[in-house]
Amino acid sequence: MIYIITLAFTIYCIVMSLRTIFIPNTIKGKVVSVENFVYLTFVYITILIGFGLVYIVLETKGYQIMIEQYPMPTENFVERFGTYLYFSAVTLFSVGYGDIAPIGIGRFIAMVEALIGYTIPAAFVAKAVYDRERK
């Protein structure tokens, strides 16, 4: 039961973080500013950690999410979570390095994360331009 609650809460946090991009008047002032950069950074961090948690929760429930080229059999939970954060970051920011590959349900989740990673900058810029033209 705790796994379902954790998974649901993590997905909720990811959705709410993405939702902030589309709420009116969230980006004020200049199109490029320190505040906007920090805002976008926190959105990315929330999504990165959120998907890392989704991966580790599903693995803990027995789903195989990824396969590593150089597995370390003595990893504890913290090291494993670090591996999933790394996998989440590589998926969110690029197409991957090739040292970790998603399998099973991990493929679908990685596709969703990659899609989010590619659309956030476009949505952020579109919102900034829209807010600037509206003023």
Side-chain angles (χ1 to χ4, degrees):
M1 183 65 173
I2 192 74
Y3 295 110
I4 294 171
I5 293 170
T6 303
L7 192 60
F9 180 71
T10 302
I11 291 170
Y12 174 78
C13 289
I14 291 170
V15 169
M16 296 315 294
S17 180
L18 288 172
R19 183 177 168 267
T20 61
I21 293 176
F22 301 101
I23 294 175
N25 299 324
T26 56
I27 304 170
K28 296 180 180 173
K30 301 179 219 167
V31 173
V32 178
S33 68
V34 173
E35 293 84 14
N36 291 346
F37 177 76
V38 170
Y39 167 74
L40 188 59
T41 300
F42 278 112
V43 168
Y44 269 119
I45 288 171
T46 302
I47 293 168
L48 188 145
I49 292 172
F51 273 96
L53 287 171
V54 167
Y55 294 133
I56 197 77
V57 166
L58 288 174
E59 184 197 50
T60 305
K61 282 301 281 184
Y63 294 96
Q64 193 169 7
I65 302 296
M66 67 177 190
I67 188 164
E68 297 179 69
Q69 186 174 2
Y70 307 107
M72 301 179 77
T74 60
E75 288 184 343
N76 60 24
F77 180 81
V78 174
E79 291 172 344
R80 196 78 189 138
F81 183 60
T83 301
Y84 278 111
L85 283 179
Y86 166 76
F87 176 67
S88 179
V90 168
T91 303
L92 188 63
F93 298 126
S94 68
V95 294
Y97 288 125
D99 57 341
I100 299 176
I103 58 174
I105 192 157
R107 286 182 174 183
F108 175 74
I109 297 168
M111 286 188 322
V112 170
E113 184 178 10
L115 178 66
I116 290 170
Y118 285 121
T119 57
I120 286 175
F124 186 77
V125 169
K127 177 150 181 54
V129 169
Y130 173 77
D131 286 347
R132 185 173 184 185
E133 288 178 356
R134 197 173 58 173
K135 291 181 182 184

